[in-house]
């Protein structure tokens, strides 16, 4: 019998059969229960056809209700224990789809889009199973569908397999679903104008009644059985070009004899000359484009076998347009920064630079606010922000993507962590695991009306109980012998304190190339006894016996990378033992400490001490009058600046004096 299914407007949903035909709801005959082999040695155009990656990726796009399960999973069994292990047609994994239970007609499943040209011939099949422990019921149906679509994904024609439904259903066996054409054959011919083929699993659940059941899908095959001559395998792609730049369209085609090409747009066939070249080749080039060139571009490909016209690519011309946007930069306090933009348009351009959306003006340490290059001299931390430029000509305006300026305080110059205070508004390059997220003062503490507190800036990171281990980390390349210190600011809010045995800490790991831990240091723990609503600086100073019982075996301020070190991991860890609560942290620091090389010379009756410095690092210049003295005396404290060099003068007395420099 013939029946039609209603369709939805969104792209993944099934479509009515072309040429006036309908979907065929057939009882599954015994012949279809025989497990047929795949289509010989032909190439399957689908990626991950049996879901053996353990997921739908790569290849498949899911919609509605869909999962990948393995033989380690069990059938739903009405939500009761004791379900049988999931069956596969081959391998370990299998796709699954079922209804969305939303009370209205709904379609579910997964699909792949494959490039295809008109007159190409295809075949498609798969294997489907519904189990008695989650059996199809009511009006639920499932089928395999092939749609040929144009470059805009509009459906040109639809072909379907037999429908798996409650009509004559045999459970617990693999049904071979084969897509057929209007005549019942397996050749699926792409019509003129085809740009892609969509191979799609469809599960239909009617509205009302919430009928249950699921269908498992495995070994989906899509075979190209015949290619047209000539065949366009890659039509020209749409593109966007800025006024005055060059546009290039390319087609990829094959044929049994030599190919010829003729490019055309809405005005007809194009000819070489002036700004146009390649009008009779596989690549069309339009130089110095204008808005008059904005159009659809197709190519006619022909040989002894015939002629095809490709699906068009559309050329969009921006006037004005941004060719090279300003790039994000990180600078130190006191340095200068320049942001530049490259733009083009049909008439003279004007520029307005903006910080956080507010236009800038020349004056003070800002210059070039109305030119293509903005310069900010003698930077301060308050200059950090998002910078854009608005470019205008007689045709209109365009604003560039934002470039982030991060002005690093001198005290943080030797901090090797990126996004140390989370001020980018994203985790990257931190890797988060378990429960946690970034927050601002616009967010309230859990189940309160109290705004979140940050240590500095706009953002702060939170970690909470969502599994045994939670937190985030950042890896930095390191070499043996390098010296670090690690610290960060932590807050336990009284509105959401740790309870029970839950605990958190800061840790610094040294790892070898294989990722094995070869050194571990931890801070003191944040526990339920930690002070609330007070920011506390925690430093990783406890030496941990990671090779045995993870006990504390000593303390040190300086963390030395052991032999074999390839990276250092800076990590916040939240261990769930019992209870709940969260911790907040900000301004994380992993300082690289460089050894000091001290030079000594005499100037008159004074000693002149000089040594290279790291920007923002504090040093103590020490002395002794006798080496056997018990302690060193502090001569002077120095902070490294942009010069990278420190000089200290010490008037000499009648006796000897010994000097040293301590890095703080």
């Amino acid at each position: 019998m013939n029946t039609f299914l209603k369709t939805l407007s969104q792209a993944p949903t099934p479509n009515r059969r072309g040429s006036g035909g309908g979907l065929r709801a057939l009882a599954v005959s015994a012949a279809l229960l025989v497990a047929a082999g795949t289509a010989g040695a032909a190439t399957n155009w689908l990626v991950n056809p049996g879901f053996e990656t353990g997921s739908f990726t790569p290849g498949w796009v899911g919609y509605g209700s869909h999962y990948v399960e393995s033989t380690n999973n069990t059938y739903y069994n009405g939500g009761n224990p004791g379900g049988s292990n999931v069956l596969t047609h081959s391998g370990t994994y299998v796709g699954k789809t079922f209804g969305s239970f939303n009370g209205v007609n709904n379609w579910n499943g997964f699909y792949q889009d494959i490039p295809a040209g008109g007159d190409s011939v295809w075949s498609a099949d798969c294997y489907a199973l519904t189990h008695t422990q989650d059996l199809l019921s009511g009006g639920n149906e499932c089928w395999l569908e092939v749609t040929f679509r144009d470059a805009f994904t509009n459906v040109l024609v639809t072909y379907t397999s037999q429908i798996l439904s409650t009509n004559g259903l045999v459970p617990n066996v693999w049904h071979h679903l084969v897509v057929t054409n209007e005549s019942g054959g397996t050749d699926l011919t792409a019509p003129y104008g085809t740009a892609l083929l969509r191979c799609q699993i469809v599960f239909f659940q009617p509205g009302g009644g919430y009928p249950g059941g699921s269908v498992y899908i495995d070994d989906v095959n899509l075979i190209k059985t015949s290619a047209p001559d000539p065949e366009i395998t890659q039509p020209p792609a749409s593109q966007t070009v800025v006024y005055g730049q060059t546009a290039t369209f390319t087609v990829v085609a094959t044929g049994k004899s030599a190919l010829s090409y003729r490019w055309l747009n809405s005005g007809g066939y194009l000819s070489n000359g002036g700004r146009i070249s390649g009008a009779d080749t596989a690549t069309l080039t339009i130089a110095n484009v204008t808005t008059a060139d904005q159009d659809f571009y197709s190519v006619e490909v022909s040989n002894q076998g015939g002629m095809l016209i490709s699906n068009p690519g559309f050329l969009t011309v921006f006037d004005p347009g941004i060719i090279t946007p300003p790039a994000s930069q990180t600078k130190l306090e006191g340095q200068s920064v320049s942001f530049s933009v490259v733009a083009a348009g049909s008439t003279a351009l004007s520029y307005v630079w903006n910080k956080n959306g507010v236009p800038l003006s020349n004056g003070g340490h800002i210059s070039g606010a109305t030119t293509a290059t903005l310069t900010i001299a003698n930077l301060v931390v308050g200059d950090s922000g998002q910078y854009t430029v608005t470019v205008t000509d007689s045709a209109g305006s365009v604003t560039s993507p934002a470039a982030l300026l991060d002005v690093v305080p001198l005290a943080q110059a030797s901090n090797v962590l990126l996004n140390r205070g989370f001020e980018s508004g994203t985790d990257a390059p931190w890797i988060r695991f378990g429960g946690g997220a970034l927050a601002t003062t616009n967010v309230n503490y859990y189940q309160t009306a109290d705004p979140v507190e940050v240590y500095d800036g706009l953002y702060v990171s939170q970690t909470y109980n969502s599994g045994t281990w939670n937190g985030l980390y950042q890896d930095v390349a390191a070499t043996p012998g390098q010296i670090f210190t690690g610290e960060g600011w932590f807050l336990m809010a009284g509105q959401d304190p740790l309870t029970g045995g839950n605990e958190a800490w800061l840790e610094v790991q040294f790892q070898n190339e294989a990722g094995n831990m070869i050194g571990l240091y931890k801070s003191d723990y944040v526990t339920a006894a930690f002070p609330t609503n007070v920011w506390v600086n925690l430093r990783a100073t406890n030496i941990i016996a990671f090779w045995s019982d993870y006990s504390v075996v000593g303390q040190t301020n300086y963390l030395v990378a052991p032999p074999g070190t390839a990276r250092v991991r800076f990590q916040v860890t939240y261990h769930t033992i019992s209870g709940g609560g969260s911790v907040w942290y900000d301004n994380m620091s992993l300082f690289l400490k460089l050894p000091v090389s001290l030079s000594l010379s005499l100037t008159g009756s004074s000693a002149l001490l000089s040594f290279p410095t790291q920007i923002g690092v504090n040093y103590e210049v020490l002395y002794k009058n006798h080496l056997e003295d018990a302690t060193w005396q502090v001569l002077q404290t120095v902070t490294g600046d942009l010069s990278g060099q420190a000089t200290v003068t010490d008037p000499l007395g009648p006796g000897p004096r010994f000097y040293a420099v301590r890095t703080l």
Side-chain angles (χ1 to χ4, degrees):
M1 73 180 193
N2 291 324
T3 183
F4 288 102
L5 293 180
K6 295 181 179 179
T7 62
L8 295 176
S9 59
Q10 60 262 36
T13 56
N15 293 270
R16 299 180 188 272
R17 174 185 292 278
S19 304
L23 297 176
R24 293 151 298 128
L26 302 178
V28 180
S29 66
L32 291 176
L33 303 183
V34 179
T38 57
T43 300
N44 189 350
W45 283 67
L46 298 176
V47 178
N48 192 22
F51 315 99
E52 290 304 308
T53 63
S55 71
F56 286 110
T57 57
W60 297 98
V61 177
Y63 60 99
S65 301
H66 56 282
Y67 289 115
V68 169
E69 295 186 354
S70 75
T71 51
N72 292 324
N73 295 111
T74 58
Y75 291 110
Y76 176 59
N77 198 30
N80 300 312
S84 303
N85 285 84
V86 166
L87 300 173
T88 65
H89 182 257
S90 67
T92 303
Y93 294 92
V94 64
K96 174 185 178 182
T97 183
F98 51 95
S100 296
F101 297 94
N102 56 15
V104 298
N105 290 354
N106 58 88
W107 287 263
N108 312 267
F110 33 92
Y111 66 91
Q112 287 191 39
D113 287 342
I114 305 296
D119 291 333
S120 58
V121 182
W122 303 75
S123 66
D125 69 284
C126 72
Y127 293 86
L129 176 147
T130 181
H131 197 274
T132 51
Q133 292 177 346
D134 194 19
L135 192 64
L136 277 182
S137 63
N140 285 347
E141 298 174 330
C142 186
W143 64 90
L144 174 63
E145 176 178 289
V146 170
T147 54
F148 292 104
R149 299 170 180 247
D150 65 18
F152 304 98
T153 73
N154 297 311
V155 175
L156 303 176
V157 67
T158 300
Y159 299 107
T160 65
S161 72
Q162 65 270 29
I163 295 176
L164 194 65
S165 69
T166 57
N167 186 10
L169 180 65
V170 179
N172 306 339
V173 295
W174 287 100
H175 302 261
H176 188 201
L177 304 185
V178 180
V179 179
T180 56
N181 58 32
E182 297 91 335
S183 303
T186 59
D187 287 342
L188 314 176
T189 302
Y192 172 78
T194 294
L196 63 89
L197 177 160
R198 177 166 293 178
C199 184
Q200 179 167 330
I201 298 296
V202 183
F203 186 105
F204 171 72
Q205 182 186 52
Y210 302 103
S214 62
V215 173
Y216 288 78
I217 302 292
D218 207 354
D219 294 333
V220 189
N221 296 296
L222 178 66
I223 309 299
K224 183 191 288 187
T225 59
S226 176
D229 181 31
E231 179 181 24
I232 296 174
T233 57
Q234 183 177 316
S238 295
Q239 57 183 289
T240 299
V241 176
V242 174
Y243 191 101
Q245 304 307 297
T246 298
T248 300
F249 289 101
T250 298
V251 67
V252 179
T254 60
K256 298 178 181 178
S257 58
L259 301 175
S260 61
Y261 305 88
R262 295 179 69 192
W263 286 90
L264 64 155
N265 62 14
S266 61
Y269 290 100
L270 302 175
S271 300
N272 292 322
R275 298 182 294 109
I276 295 177
S277 59
D280 54 355
T281 70
T283 298
L284 172 71
T285 300
I286 309 172
N288 194 25
V289 298
T290 71
T291 51
D293 297 314
Q294 189 163 283
D295 203 345
F296 289 98
Y297 290 82
S298 299
V299 60
E300 176 188 285
V301 182
S302 60
N303 66 359
Q304 294 178 2
M307 181 270 289
L308 286 175
I309 296 179
S310 73
N311 286 293
F314 189 76
L315 174 60
T316 301
V317 179
F318 283 162
D319 178 21
I322 305 291
I323 299 171
T324 305
S328 295
Q329 301 185 54
T330 298
K331 294 289 184 178
L332 296 174
E333 279 183 300
Q335 291 183 326
S336 296
V337 68
S338 291
F339 289 108
S340 294
V341 66
V342 178
S346 57
T347 57
L349 302 177
S350 63
Y351 305 86
V352 175
W353 286 90
N354 315 283
K355 177 191 175 187
N356 298 330
V358 179
L360 296 172
S361 300
N362 292 321
H365 64 319
I366 294 176
S367 60
T370 57
T371 70
T373 299
L374 171 72
T375 299
I376 308 173
N378 194 24
L379 288 166
V380 297
V381 173
D383 292 318
S384 297
Q386 294 185 334
Y387 288 80
T388 60
V389 59
T390 301
V391 182
T392 302
D393 70 2
S394 61
S397 297
V398 61
T399 298
S400 72
L404 179 66
L405 173 61
D406 182 13
V407 180
V408 180
L410 293 183
Q412 290 285 324
S414 61
N415 189 351
V416 296
L417 297 177
L418 300 177
N419 196 19
R420 63 195 182 281
F422 313 103
E423 291 305 304
S424 71
T426 66
D427 282 339
W430 297 94
I431 304 297
R432 192 177 294 277
F433 57 97
L438 298 185
T440 70
T441 52
N442 293 323
V443 177
N444 295 333
Y445 288 117
Y446 182 62
Q447 293 184 339
T448 75
D450 299 332
V452 165
E453 181 180 344
V454 301
Y455 179 77
D456 189 22
L458 298 175
Y459 290 89
V460 65
S461 184
Q462 175 195 23
T463 290
Y464 51 80
N465 172 3
S466 181
T468 303
W469 299 102
N470 312 270
L472 88 174
Y473 65 87
Q474 186 176 149
D475 288 342
V476 177
T479 57
Q482 284 187 317
I483 303 169
F484 298 88
T485 62
E487 62 184 86
W489 290 91
F490 284 74
L491 174 78
M492 184 171 74
Q495 296 88 337
D496 188 24
L498 295 186
T499 59
N502 290 349
E503 55 192 13
W505 61 87
L506 172 66
E507 66 182 72
V508 175
Q509 305 176 14
F510 290 104
Q511 299 180 353
N512 60 20
E513 192 62 50
N516 299 317
M517 185 162 55
I518 56 177
L520 177 62
Y521 302 84
K522 288 185 179 181
S523 71
D524 293 337
Y525 280 33
V526 180
T527 66
F530 198 76
T532 59
N533 300 327
V534 176
W535 285 98
V536 177
N537 183 262
L538 296 183
R539 301 190 69 184
T541 57
N542 296 310
I543 305 170
I544 305 301
F546 67 93
W547 58 88
S548 60
D549 60 356
Y550 283 81
S551 61
V552 177
V553 293
Q555 288 192 327
T556 181
N557 287 322
Y558 300 102
L559 319 179
V560 181
T565 294
R567 68 185 63 88
V568 56
R569 174 168 292 182
F570 186 98
Q571 178 169 311
V572 173
T573 304
Y574 179 123
H575 184 202
T576 302
I577 300 174
S578 62
S582 61
V583 293
W584 304 80
Y585 41 96
D586 204 351
N587 279 28
M588 315 308 285
S589 300
L590 181 63
F591 292 112
L592 175 63
K593 303 292 186 178
L594 300 180
V596 172
S597 176
L598 179 62
S599 298
L600 175 63
S601 61
L602 293 176
T603 301
S605 60
S606 297
L608 186 66
L609 308 166
S610 62
F611 54 95
T613 59
Q614 290 176 268
I615 299 172
V617 174
N618 293 321
Y619 302 87
E620 285 183 342
V621 180
L622 310 174
Y623 73 91
K624 283 183 178 181
N625 291 324
H626 305 282
L627 279 179
E628 61 270 19
D629 290 347
T631 60
W632 290 90
Q633 304 298 315
V634 177
L635 176 65
Q636 188 174 332
T637 299
V638 176
T639 300
D641 58 20
L642 295 175
S643 70
Q645 190 74 22
T647 301
V648 174
T649 301
D650 182 29
L652 293 175
R657 179 162 281 191
F658 303 90
Y659 297 94
V661 176
R662 175 188 295 141
T663 303
L664 300 179

